[in-house]
Amino acid sequence: MPRYISIASNRYISLSVAHLKRTASDFTGWFLVLCLLFLFMRCMEIAYGRLLHGRLTAWWEVWLTGIVKDISFLLTAAAWAYPAYYFISLGSGRLARRLFTTGAAILCGVHLVLSEYFLTTLTMLGADLWIYSSRDIWQTISAAGIKWPIIPAILLTVTVASWCLVKLPPRLRTGPLTGIGLVALFIICEAAGLAAITHTWRSDSSEYGNSLSNNKSWFFYKQSIDYFFPAPADTDLYTDSHMADYINDPATWSTAAFQYPDEERYPFLHLDETPDVLSPFLRKGSSPPNIVLVIVEGLGSAYSGRSAYLGSFTPFLDSLSRHSLYWENFLSQSGRTFAALPVLLASLPFGKTGFTELDSRMPPHLSMLSLLKRQGYHTAFYYGGDATFDNMTGFLERNAIDEILDITAFPGEYRKLPAGNQGLCWGYGDKELFHFYFSTLPATGPYCHVLLTVASHEPFLVHNQESYLARVEQRISAPGFAAARRAAARNFKKQYASILYVDDALQYFFHTYAQRPDFHNTIFIITGDHRMPEIPMRDKLDRYHVPLIIYAPLLLRSARFSAISTHFDVAPSMLQLLKNQYGLQIPSLAAWVGSGLDTGYTFTNRHAYPLMQNKHYMIDFIQGDHMMIGNDLYRIQPGMSLEPVQDKHKLAQLRRGFERFRKKNRQMLDGASLLPDSIYQRYYPR
């Protein structure tokens, strides 16, 4: 090698090493400032959370674990930020410093927004932001009301962060060797997946305390990256040789053990052997009964029913349940409303971000609506809000519904819910919805109607709210209410007031219906779309725990069931009842995910089903008395609480069942049909 090339090479190496030392020293100064800023925001989050939601029993552990998770996130972020800073500074050190200062200040501002979102909704914001349409996002934010103080708080945070990032790094700058050591630490922590590891650490027995300790920025960015750059499908899991070990094993899917005649072309198609468990409880009427399904926004068993561990705020529903068929250990299929209609009416799989989001790509399917309409039923959907939200309109129209009556159909004399800060709201309250329903209800049946309420949703503003707030205070001050829960309950008086309002609206609904001649030939189904997340949850399962009530004057006797069932099971069981008692024509082959309601009186679960917390978070799966959440296994206790367990064999068994569902779900997304054309064309209403 010529001597001048060797000299140039050595000089280049020397300059590179010098640049590495200088940038590493500068960068670690900024990193330490960011750590201090995140420490300050963590303290503010804990303090503000205590102000809003009360004191945690393990707040010290939550705080310390939160700091570790924050530092893990910053170490991971630094592993990606430092190389960018290094290479940009080769061209312009000033530009690199300005870009990093601006980016770090924005990072603090975004973190504050994510923290505020969590403390308001008690749900961490993830890839949902990218899945909902801009119209749906604006409707949600506007109806909930923007908290104007958060805007100056964000601006102040960005300003203070910018000042700190300009003034403090020179004072915290480390020596070159220390700086290089920290850069190496950044890389090691990222390679080891430290942020992902610490994210799984639990700091509190409650779901709220554990979520409070999580770093909201890491969760948001991780889910966003996974959404825009999804990992390749693990196709080797689904090879025939791998599937053969358990494809016919009921324990990996459901004890119903469906028989699939052509699983490759029709992954969900099976012989419909749903047992008719409802006929023994309902006498046959002289004509087919009306079906009225009432889906109550945010109705959770944590605060409704005789076993409500937070105390019940639904006295009318509690009374009605004593004269009904009541499932106390019942689950919704999702933590948000998007899955309610497809699952309850048609027992359909989720797709990627919810079945309704498939829009024009929804595969042909049958539902309780379309099957009943074909045989003479009038079908209608009533909603006090905008039915285009979550593309409910598209799904209902695909099922040939006769009428969709939403916010656009209400006459001028009806009052909307009180407006939030932006002067906007979700729409009409539940009392107005029910009053409007009776004004349009046909005089004769049969009909199948679906009503979706909206009042018990953020911002939890209802008419005559002061009177409902007073009733909440009376209820939690009563001798029968656990004294230990009173202080915490007062932090959520608006939420409980909205539940009391819904309960009053339902009382009006049934008392008014009872005056109609068709009341005696109507079957009512009442359930929640999911549990309200704005009241802290005990655990992950709590989000899905909702009541199911089937009430009808045709009931021979009431019953309270302790066996677990889910929204997937409602439509198959209702259709079997109508088939056996009234000759309803339904195909012998069906694509229901559910296998029917369980009317067992003891606490058990014969089902195996996926649960989808939000539109980008399908990691939950139940099978028997176990629940899998990500890679963690829990045993479902009586009362629907979770207990962590260590059982690799059981975890592998649940994972196989979950993967089998995911395979079927992906087949549908890739174009596989739910039903043969011959079945669809024969039973779909013309």
Side-chain angles (χ1 to χ4, degrees):
M1 177 184 295
R3 187 167 177 270
Y4 68 87
I5 295 179
S6 177
I7 294 173
S9 177
N10 291 336
R11 184 180 180 188
Y12 176 78
I13 293 173
S14 299
L15 290 173
S16 298
V17 171
H19 188 68
L20 174 65
K21 291 179 178 179
R22 184 172 60 256
T23 55
S25 179
D26 292 342
F27 187 87
T28 52
W30 281 308
F31 173 77
L32 294 175
V33 173
L34 262 181
C35 288
L36 292 174
L37 289 170
F38 268 70
L39 173 62
F40 174 74
M41 288 190 289
R42 170 62 64 180
C43 293
M44 293 301 297
E45 184 180 46
I46 294 289
Y48 190 38
R50 177 175 178 177
L51 177 66
L52 291 178
H53 308 306
R55 181 174 180 174
L56 287 164
T57 55
W59 74 270
W60 184 252
E61 290 87 345
V62 170
W63 183 67
L64 288 177
T65 306
I67 291 174
V68 173
K69 293 180 179 181
D70 291 343
I71 293 175
S72 299
F73 163 70
L74 292 175
L75 287 168
T76 298
W80 291 93
Y82 174 73
Y85 176 77
Y86 176 89
F87 286 110
I88 294 173
S89 64
L90 286 173
S92 172
R94 177 177 296 180
L95 176 62
R97 288 191 292 272
R98 287 182 176 178
L99 287 176
F100 181 80
T101 300
T102 302
I106 293 173
L107 182 73
C108 291
V110 170
H111 186 79
L112 184 66
V113 172
L114 296 171
S115 177
E116 169 63 23
Y117 178 88
F118 168 75
L119 291 173
T120 300
T121 65
L122 297 188
T123 302
M124 291 190 292
L125 182 63
D128 273 20
L129 179 66
W130 315 116
I131 297 171
Y132 284 96
S133 67
S134 57
R135 179 182 178 183
D136 286 354
I137 292 172
W138 176 246
Q139 181 180 346
T140 302
I141 294 174
S142 300
I146 298 173
K147 296 181 179 179
W148 291 114
I150 192 63
I151 296 178
I154 295 170
L155 295 176
L156 179 62
T157 298
V158 172
T159 302
V160 170
S162 300
W163 184 89
C164 291
L165 288 163
V166 170
K167 299 295 184 181
L168 296 183
R171 301 182 182 182
L172 297 176
R173 183 181 295 128
T174 63
L177 293 180
T178 303
I180 292 174
L182 283 174
V183 169
L185 180 64
F186 300 157
I187 297 171
I188 292 171
C189 290
E190 166 60 7
L194 181 65
I197 293 171
T198 58
H199 182 76
T200 64
W201 290 0
R202 294 193 65 86
S203 58
D204 188 62
S205 58
S206 71
E207 185 61 24
Y208 164 64
N210 185 59
S211 296
L212 181 62
S213 74
N214 285 333
N215 183 277
K216 315 307 179 296
S217 289
W218 183 87
F219 183 83
F220 174 73
Y221 295 125
K222 179 65 168 62
Q223 281 217 340
S224 297
I225 291 170
D226 290 346
Y227 175 74
F228 288 109
F229 306 100
D234 297 325
T235 52
D236 58 314
L237 272 176
Y238 308 118
T239 59
D240 290 339
S241 59
H242 185 86
M243 292 292 291
D245 294 336
Y246 58 88
I247 196 167
N248 294 315
D249 179 6
T252 65
W253 178 241
S254 169
T255 54
F258 292 144
Q259 299 180 46
Y260 299 99
D262 190 347
E263 201 166 3
E264 289 303 313
R265 289 199 300 166
Y266 308 103
F268 288 99
L269 187 69
H270 58 83
L271 290 174
D272 189 0
E273 298 177 330
T274 306
D276 178 15
V277 298
L278 297 178
S279 284
F281 297 94
L282 290 155
R283 62 179 175 84
K284 180 181 177 182
S286 57
S287 60
N290 307 308
I291 307 296
V292 177
L293 170 61
V294 182
I295 307 171
V296 180
E297 170 68 41
L299 181 65
S301 294
Y303 38 80
S304 176
R306 285 170 281 178
S307 302
Y309 72 87
L310 294 176
S312 180
F313 291 84
T314 55
F316 171 74
L317 269 186
D318 295 351
S319 174
L320 183 70
S321 69
R322 294 185 178 93
H323 305 281
S324 308
L325 303 180
Y326 175 58
W327 282 261
E328 61 180 350
N329 297 317
F330 193 77
L331 298 173
S332 70
Q333 233 59 54
S334 172
R336 295 191 183 275
T337 312
F338 70 89
L341 293 183
V343 171
L344 277 166
L345 295 173
S347 195
L348 287 165
F350 299 120
K352 183 179 180 181
T353 58
F355 192 86
T356 61
E357 292 294 333
L358 294 173
D359 201 14
S360 60
R361 296 186 297 111
M362 288 184 206
H365 58 277
L366 297 173
S367 71
M368 195 156 62
L369 288 176
S370 57
L371 287 168
L372 291 180
K373 177 179 177 178
R374 182 183 177 276
Q375 293 170 76
Y377 275 70
H378 175 268
T379 57
F381 175 69
Y382 290 80
Y383 180 47
D386 184 351
T388 63
F389 192 86
D390 278 333
N391 196 34
M392 291 186 290
T393 297
F395 171 76
L396 294 166
E397 289 176 344
R398 191 64 180 265
N399 283 275
I401 197 165
D402 289 314
E403 292 184 279
I404 299 175
L405 299 162
D406 67 351
I407 192 171
T408 61
F410 282 71
E413 64 266 21
Y414 287 85
R415 291 190 306 167
K416 290 184 179 180
L417 289 165
N421 297 337
Q422 275 51 65
L424 299 173
C425 67
W426 278 101
Y428 294 92
D430 304 347
K431 291 182 179 179
E432 284 76 11
L433 172 68
F434 295 151
H435 185 261
F436 176 59
Y437 174 65
F438 289 123
S439 72
T440 62
L441 190 57
T444 59
Y447 50 79
C448 178
H449 292 165
V450 182
L451 295 89
L452 175 60
T453 72
V454 74
S456 44
H457 193 291
E458 175 76 26
F460 308 107
L461 298 175
V462 297
H463 294 298
N464 302 318
Q465 187 164 31
E466 290 304 318
S467 66
Y468 286 105
L469 290 171
R471 284 178 55 187
V472 171
E473 184 61 35
Q474 291 173 0
R475 203 160 187 83
I476 63 180
S477 300
F481 198 90
R485 291 200 303 266
R486 285 175 185 159
R490 289 189 173 98
N491 292 314
F492 308 101
K493 290 178 70 172
K494 285 174 59 178
Q495 287 87 339
Y496 289 134
S498 70
I499 293 296
L500 283 172
Y501 166 85
V502 172
D503 193 63
D504 275 0
L506 287 167
Q507 185 174 27
Y508 158 76
F509 177 77
F510 279 96
H511 285 182
T512 304
Y513 230 120
Q515 310 306 313
R516 293 176 53 90
D518 54 353
F519 172 73
H520 299 285
N521 195 40
T522 302
I523 298 175
F524 300 92
I525 307 168
I526 307 101
T527 189
D529 58 347
H530 55 80
R531 192 256 211 214
M532 187 187 294
E534 287 81 3
I535 299 174
M537 292 174 286
R538 177 174 56 190
D539 50 43
K540 290 283 189 182
L541 189 60
D542 205 6
R543 181 72 176 265
Y544 307 103
H545 190 194
V546 298
L548 175 69
I549 297 171
I550 296 181
Y551 172 79
L554 297 168
L555 274 175
L556 296 169
R557 64 184 185 278
S558 61
R560 180 182 181 183
F561 308 117
S562 294
I564 296 175
S565 294
T566 76
H567 280 170
F568 274 139
D569 302 309
V570 173
S573 286
M574 287 302 303
L575 291 170
Q576 286 296 326
L577 166 73
L578 297 174
K579 172 188 174 183
N580 291 338
Q581 288 198 350
Y582 301 95
L584 179 75
Q585 296 181 18
I586 61 175
S588 58
L589 292 171
W592 319 129
V593 175
S595 56
L597 296 167
D598 191 339
T599 52
Y601 292 100
T602 58
F603 180 72
T604 186
N605 179 30
R606 68 182 183 89
H607 303 294
Y609 293 142
L611 307 169
M612 194 168 185
Q613 181 175 319
N614 56 46
K615 289 189 176 184
H616 186 62
Y617 214 53
M618 186 172 63
I619 63 170
D620 303 337
F621 187 78
I622 61 166
Q623 177 182 293
D625 61 351
H626 286 81
M627 180 175 184
M628 182 180 71
I629 304 173
N631 292 315
D632 299 322
L633 183 67
Y634 300 84
R635 181 175 288 108
I636 305 174
Q637 302 292 317
M640 302 299 280
S641 61
L642 295 178
E643 176 189 47
V645 294
Q646 297 294 328
D647 187 332
K648 292 182 179 180
H649 174 75
K650 180 62 68 174
L651 180 61
Q653 191 180 67
L654 265 72
R655 186 175 287 120
R656 288 196 299 268
F658 186 36
E659 295 297 350
R660 186 176 185 193
F661 172 83
R662 290 179 60 194
K663 179 202 173 185
K664 291 173 175 290
N665 193 63
R666 185 157 58 245
Q667 284 177 269
M668 181 191 72
L669 291 173
D670 290 341
S673 300
L674 290 175
L675 296 168
D677 289 342
S678 57
I679 293 178
Y680 180 71
Q681 293 171 4
R682 178 180 176 186
Y683 288 93
Y684 189 77
R686 299 176 185 273

